[in-house]
C-alpha cells in the first residue's frame, strides 16, 4: 500500500470526498523504506503545524510530542499509521453520509418554484388559440396520411434468387371510404410491390390502379379487410382556385422515414410551372413549409385543415435532397379531375391528335415557329381531319414539309410544349379548329379529338 503526501488537503465534494488537487506522486512510506520520512515531515517547525491543521479538519488526534530522530523511526511509523487509519475511518463515514444525502436529494420531489403552477387537466388549456388551432389541424388530418414503401424485386446475378428490397419511401393520403390512396407517380414508379403503413403502424399491400406520369399523380387501392377500410378517414378536400400568396399552410408527411411530421409555412408563390414529364404541370403552388425527401405525396393543408395541394418537389441547388425553403405542390383542383377519371375508367383519358412531330431544331433552321408534322397515324383524328405529313419525293428524293401547326382554337402554338398544354385542356370527342401552314398558306382544319392511349405506369 502506498500513502500520498499529507499536504493533499482533503475537501468535501457533492458526491463524496475527494482529495485536493495538490497530489504528490512521491511515496512517504513504501515497502518499509522509512528513512525518507525525515525529509518529508518534522514535528518541529512549519510542517508540524501544517499536519495539525490538516488533521483538525477531520477531527483527528495528533500527539503533542513525539520523539523524531534518526534512531526512532519505528515509533514515528506507528504514529503516522495511527493517524492515517483514523483519517480513513473519517473519510469512509463522510463518504457514506454524502452519498446518503445525494440519494435523498434525487428521490425527494423538488419544491415548486414560486409563481409556477403544476399543469393539470387538459393540456390544450395551456396553449394559445393559435397553437390550439395548429394542434387541431394536425390531429384531424394525421389519420388520413399514410406512409408508402416502394419495394423492388432484385435478382441475384449468380444464384438467380429474387430478393425484395425497399427502394424508397414516400407519403400518400386516404381519398375515400373505399381504401383508395392518392400519391405522386414518382413515389411508386418502378415498384414490384407497394406497402402502405397506416397511423396505427399496421402495414398492408397496395395495388396500383393507374397513374399519370406527366402530372405526377397515381391512385392506389389498399388490400385490407373490410373492417379496416371502414375505419379509414378520408382527407377533407379544399380548393386551390382562391389561394393567396401569404396565407398560412401546413405540410404533413413522412420525411426521411419519420412518420407523420408536421411543418408549417406560407404560400410563397402561385402559378409556377413544374416539368414532371412531357406535359408541364401548370398552376403549381410554391411554399416555404419544409418539404424533404419522403414528403412527396403528402398533404398541403390550409389553416382550416382542408387539402389544397400534394407536396411534390423541392428546389435543391446542392443536389443533396435538402430543403432550401422552396417547395412545390400540385394544386388539388388539377388532381381532382385526374383521380376521378382513374376511379371511373381505370385510366387517364386524355385527347390526342394522332401525329408524330419533328424535332424543334428542324423549324429553328428554317426560322419558323410552330410544330412540324412528320407522320399522321392511320385512322386517327389527324388523318380524319385532313392533316398532312412530311413526304419524300420518290423521283427527286427531296422532302416536302408537312403541315406546321401554329394554332388551336385561336391559341398560338410555337412549340410542342404549347401544343400539349392546349390539348391537355380539351376533352375527348371535342372538335377543335387546327390552324396550319401548308404550302406557304395558312389553312384551318376541323379535327374531332379522340381518346389517347393508356397512360404509362412503368409497372
Amino acid at each position: 500500500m502506498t500513502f500520498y503526501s499529507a499536504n493533499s488537503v482533503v475537501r468535501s465534494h457533492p458526491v463524496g470526498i475527494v482529495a485536493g488537487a495538490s497530489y504528490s506522486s512521491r511515496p512517504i512510506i513504501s515497502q518499509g523504506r522509512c528513512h525518507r520520512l525525515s525529509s518529508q515531515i518534522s514535528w518541529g517547525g512549519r510542517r508540524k503545524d501544517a499536519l495539525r491543521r490538516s488533521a483538525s479538519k477531520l477531527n483527528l488526534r495528533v500527539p503533542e510530542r513525539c520523539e523524531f530522530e534518526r534512531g526512532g523511526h519505528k515509533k514515528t511509523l506507528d504514529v503516522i499509521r495511527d493517524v492515517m487509519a483514523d483519517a480513513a475511518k473519517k473519510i469512509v463515514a463522510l463518504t457514506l453520509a454524502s452519498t446518503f444525502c445525494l440519494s435523498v436529494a434525487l428521490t425527494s420531489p423538488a419544491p415548486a418554484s414560486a409563481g409556477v403552477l403544476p399543469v393539470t387537466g387538459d393540456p390544450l388549456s395551456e396553449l394559445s388559440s393559435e397553437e390550439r388551432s395548429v394542434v387541431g389541424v394536425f390531429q384531424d388530418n394525421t389519420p388520413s396520411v399514410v406512409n408508402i414503401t416502394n419495394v423492388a424485386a432484385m435478382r441475384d446475378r449468380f444464384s438467380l434468387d429474387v430478393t425484395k428490397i425497399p427502394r424508397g419511401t414516400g407519403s400518400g393520403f386516404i381519398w375515400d371510404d373505399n381504401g383508395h390512396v392518392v400519391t405522386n407517380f414518382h413515389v411508386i414508379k418502378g415498384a414490384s410491390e407497394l406497402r402502405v403503413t397506416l397511423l396505427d403502424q399496421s402495414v398492408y399491400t397496395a395495388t396500383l390502379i393507374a397513374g399519370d406520369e406527366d402530372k405526377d399523380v397515381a391512385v392506389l387501392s389498399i388490400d385490407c379487410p373490410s373492417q379496416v377500410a371502414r375505419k379509414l378517414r378520408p382527407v377533407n378536400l379544399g380548393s386551390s382556385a382562391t389561394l393567396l400568396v401569404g396565407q398560412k399552410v401546413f405540410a404533413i408527411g413522412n420525411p426521411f422515414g419519420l412518420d407523420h411530421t408536421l411543418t408549417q409555412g406560407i404560400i410563397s408563390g402561385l402559378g409556377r410551372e413544374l416539368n414532371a414529364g412531357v406535359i408541364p404541370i401548370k398552376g403549381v403552388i410554391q411554399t416555404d413549409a419544409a418539404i424533404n425527401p419522403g414528403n412527396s405525396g403528402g398533404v398541403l393543408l390550409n389553416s382550416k385543415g382542408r387539402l389544397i395541394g400534394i407536396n411534390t418537389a423541392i428546389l435543391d441547388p446542392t443536389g443533396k435532397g435538402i430543403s432550401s425553403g422552396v417547395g412545390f405542390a400540385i394544386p388539388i383542383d388539377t388532381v381532382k379531375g385526374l383521380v376521378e377519371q382513374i376511379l371511373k375508367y381505370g385510366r387517364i383519358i386524355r385527347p390526342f391528335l394522332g401525329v408524330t412531330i419533328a424535332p424543334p431544331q428542324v423549324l429553328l433552321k428554317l426560322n419558323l415557329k410552330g410544330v412540324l408534322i412528320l407522320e399522321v397515324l392511320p385512322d386517327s383524328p389527324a388523318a380524319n381531319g385532313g392533316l398532312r405529313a412530311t413526304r419524300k419525293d420518290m423521283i427527286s428524293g427531296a422532302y416536302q414539309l408537312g403541315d406546321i401547326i401554329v394554332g388551336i382554337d385561336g391559341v398560338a402554338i410555337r412549340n410542342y410544349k404549347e401544343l400539349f398544354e392546349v390539348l391537355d385542356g380539351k376533352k375527348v370527342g371535342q372538335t377543335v379548329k387546327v390552324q396550319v401552314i401548308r404550302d406557304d398558306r395558312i389553312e384551318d382544319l376541323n379535327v374531332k379529338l379522340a381518346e389517347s392511349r393508356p397512360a404509362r405506369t412503368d409497372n
Side-chain angles (χ1 to χ4, degrees):
M1 181 171 64
T2 303
F3 293 91
Y4 290 92
S5 173
N7 67 352
S8 299
V9 179
V10 179
R11 64 170 182 256
S12 63
H13 187 271
V15 178
I17 300 296
V18 296
S22 56
Y23 268 116
S24 171
S25 61
R26 182 169 47 179
I28 299 174
I29 304 171
S30 178
Q31 300 178 1
R33 292 194 293 273
C34 301
H35 62 278
R36 298 172 60 187
L37 184 64
S38 61
S39 63
Q40 298 294 325
I41 300 179
S42 173
W43 294 112
R46 288 180 296 178
R47 291 183 179 271
K48 170 183 174 183
D49 296 335
L51 180 61
R52 288 186 183 280
R53 288 193 299 270
S54 300
S56 64
K57 293 182 179 180
L58 292 174
N59 296 322
L60 303 179
R61 184 181 61 82
V62 180
E64 290 294 333
R65 300 189 61 183
C66 177
E67 179 184 359
F68 187 83
E69 295 180 359
R70 292 192 177 274
H73 290 170
K74 183 177 183 305
K75 185 174 182 180
T76 302
L77 179 61
D78 292 339
V79 172
I80 295 299
R81 283 177 176 169
D82 291 341
V83 172
M84 297 305 294
D86 194 11
K89 293 178 181 179
K90 297 288 185 178
I91 290 173
V92 171
L94 290 174
T95 302
L96 292 175
S98 178
T99 304
F100 173 75
C101 293
L102 177 62
S103 64
V104 171
L106 291 177
T107 56
S108 301
S113 302
V116 179
L117 298 178
V119 177
T120 58
D122 186 7
L124 291 177
S125 62
E126 301 296 320
L127 304 181
S128 66
S129 59
E130 182 179 359
E131 289 174 322
R132 287 195 295 269
S133 176
V134 174
V135 172
V137 168
F138 178 74
Q139 292 178 346
D140 291 342
N141 289 276
T142 296
S144 303
V145 180
V146 301
N147 182 289
I148 299 175
T149 303
N150 183 324
V151 181
M154 306 293 292
R155 184 181 297 275
D156 188 275
R157 59 187 302 181
F158 298 106
S159 65
L160 300 181
D161 293 336
V162 177
T163 305
K164 294 182 178 180
I165 302 175
R167 295 182 56 187
T169 61
S171 304
F173 54 90
I174 307 297
W175 182 263
D176 55 25
D177 297 326
N178 298 320
H180 293 127
V181 173
V182 177
T183 185
N184 286 139
F185 186 90
H186 73 262
V187 171
I188 56 88
K189 183 178 181 180
S192 59
E193 181 180 325
L194 295 170
R195 298 171 185 169
V196 174
T197 304
L198 304 179
L199 179 62
D200 61 0
Q201 299 305 308
S202 57
V203 181
Y204 302 95
T205 59
T207 304
L208 174 63
I209 299 177
D212 188 346
E213 185 173 4
D214 293 325
K215 298 297 185 180
D216 203 13
V217 174
V219 179
L220 315 178
S221 177
I222 303 178
D223 303 326
C224 63
S226 58
Q227 60 269 23
V228 175
R230 286 194 297 268
K231 296 180 181 179
L232 297 177
R233 184 185 298 181
V235 70
N236 295 317
L237 295 180
S239 175
S240 55
T242 58
L243 298 179
L244 298 173
V245 173
Q247 76 177 80
K248 184 178 295 186
V249 292
F250 301 94
I252 302 178
N254 307 283
F256 305 109
L258 302 173
D259 63 302
H260 299 91
T261 298
L262 171 70
T263 57
Q264 68 174 336
I266 63 171
I267 294 179
S268 307
L270 295 169
R272 306 304 189 205
E273 182 176 309
L274 188 65
N275 291 316
V278 177
I279 304 174
I281 306 173
K282 294 287 190 177
V284 174
I285 305 167
Q286 178 186 334
T287 178
D288 67 348
I291 298 176
N292 291 288
N295 271 118
S296 293
V299 297
L300 187 69
L301 309 168
N302 60 16
S303 58
K304 299 296 184 180
R306 297 190 176 277
L307 180 64
I308 59 173
I310 302 179
N311 301 320
T312 301
I314 58 174
L315 181 63
D316 179 20
T318 66
K320 298 180 180 179
I322 300 175
S323 175
S324 60
V326 181
F328 301 100
I330 303 174
I332 189 59
D333 290 350
T334 300
V335 176
K336 284 180 182 177
L338 297 174
V339 174
E340 290 171 358
Q341 283 188 19
I342 291 175
L343 295 180
K344 185 176 182 179
Y345 302 105
R347 63 186 185 277
I348 294 294
I349 298 178
R350 181 175 289 125
F352 85 123
L353 280 175
V355 298
T356 302
I357 60 177
Q361 293 82 357
V362 176
L363 292 184
L364 286 177
K365 291 182 178 180
L366 299 175
N367 198 23
L368 295 174
K369 293 182 180 180
V371 176
L372 173 62
I373 298 177
L374 281 182
E375 181 183 0
V376 175
L377 301 181
D379 196 25
S380 66
N384 297 332
L387 292 176
R388 183 185 297 177
T390 298
R391 299 190 299 269
K392 182 178 181 180
D393 190 282
M394 301 304 297
I395 298 177
S396 63
Y399 285 93
Q400 183 179 1
L401 294 181
D403 291 336
I404 301 175
I405 301 175
V406 292
I408 293 180
D409 284 344
V411 179
I413 303 297
R414 292 167 296 184
N415 51 57
Y416 74 95
K417 285 188 176 182
E418 294 181 349
L419 173 62
F420 287 128
E421 289 176 20
V422 172
L423 291 177
D424 191 51
K426 305 299 181 181
K427 297 180 179 180
V428 174
Q430 182 178 354
T431 300
V432 296
K433 182 177 292 187
V434 180
Q435 192 175 56
V436 299
I437 297 177
R438 177 184 296 178
D439 299 331
D440 297 329
R441 299 189 311 269
I442 295 179
E443 295 188 14
D444 293 332
L445 302 173
N446 292 323
V447 177
K448 185 177 181 179
L449 301 177
E451 181 183 345
S452 65
R453 295 165 182 170
R456 295 166 291 173
T457 59
D458 290 349
N459 200 32

